[in-house]
Amino acid sequence: MQVMWSTFVPYLPNTILPGALSFVVAVAAVVMARLGKLSEKGTKFVGAISGWTATLLFMWMPVSQMWTNFLNPDNIKGLSPVSMLLAMIGNGLMIPRALLTRDFMWFLGSSWASFFYGYGNLACLYWFNSISKEFFLAATAGFELWIGMALWRDTVVHGYSSPFTSLKELISGS
C-alpha cells in the first residue's frame, strides 16, 4: 500500500499512514489466524495475502514506471528498449503455462507484466520518440501473434471452440 501511495506523492500528501495501516491489519489478521479466531475460509485468505501482496507489488512496478515517464519524459532516455522487449517476451512466455495449469494468479501476473511492463514501456518509448517505428511495429506484431497463438493452442488443448471459454474458465476458477 505504501509503495502504491508513494508513486503519487507529488499529488498526494507524503505520509506513512497507508503502510502503517496495512501493517496493523496484516499483523491482526495473522494473530487472529494463529489463535484460531478465524474461520477456515478466513485462514485461507490470510494465507493467500502474501502471494497476492507480492503479485500486486509486481504488478505495480510498470504503473509507477510509466507514471514517472509521463511526469518526467527525460527519464525515459535511460530506459533500454531491449530490456523492455526482453521483459515482454519473458513474461509472455509464462502466459501459456499459466493458461495450461489454470493458475489465475500466475496468469494475472505474467499477463500484466507482459502487457504493461514490457509492451507498455515500449509504447512509452515509442510515444517519446526513443525507438523507431519499425522496432515498435515489429514488437507489436510479435506480441499479438504470441498472445493469439497461446490462446488458440490452449483452446485446442482443452477442446473448446473459443478462447473466451478458456479465459472465462480461468477467471471463474471452475
Side-chain angles (χ1 to χ4, degrees), residues 66-77 121-131:
M66 287 189 282
W67 178 256
T68 303
N69 294 345
F70 283 115
L71 289 180
N72 188 0
D74 289 336
N75 283 349
I76 207 161
K77 291 179 181 145
N121 278 307
L122 283 175
C124 283
L125 286 165
Y126 178 68
W127 180 268
F128 291 114
N129 297 317
S130 294
I131 59 172

Side-chain angles (χ1 to χ4, degrees), residues 96-123:
R97 177 71 179 182
L99 285 168
L100 180 68
T101 60
R102 292 296 191 257
D103 189 325
F104 180 67
M105 190 182 303
W106 193 353
F107 176 76
L108 183 65
S110 58
S111 298
W112 183 275
S114 193
F115 278 97
F116 287 99
Y117 187 62
Y119 187 75
N121 278 307
L122 283 175

Side-chain angles (χ1 to χ4, degrees), residues 1-9 12-16 18-19 60:
M1 179 73 109
Q2 189 68 44
V3 172
M4 294 173 188
W5 184 276
S6 65
T7 299
F8 303 108
V9 160
L12 296 173
N14 191 5
T15 178
I16 64 164
W60 191 254

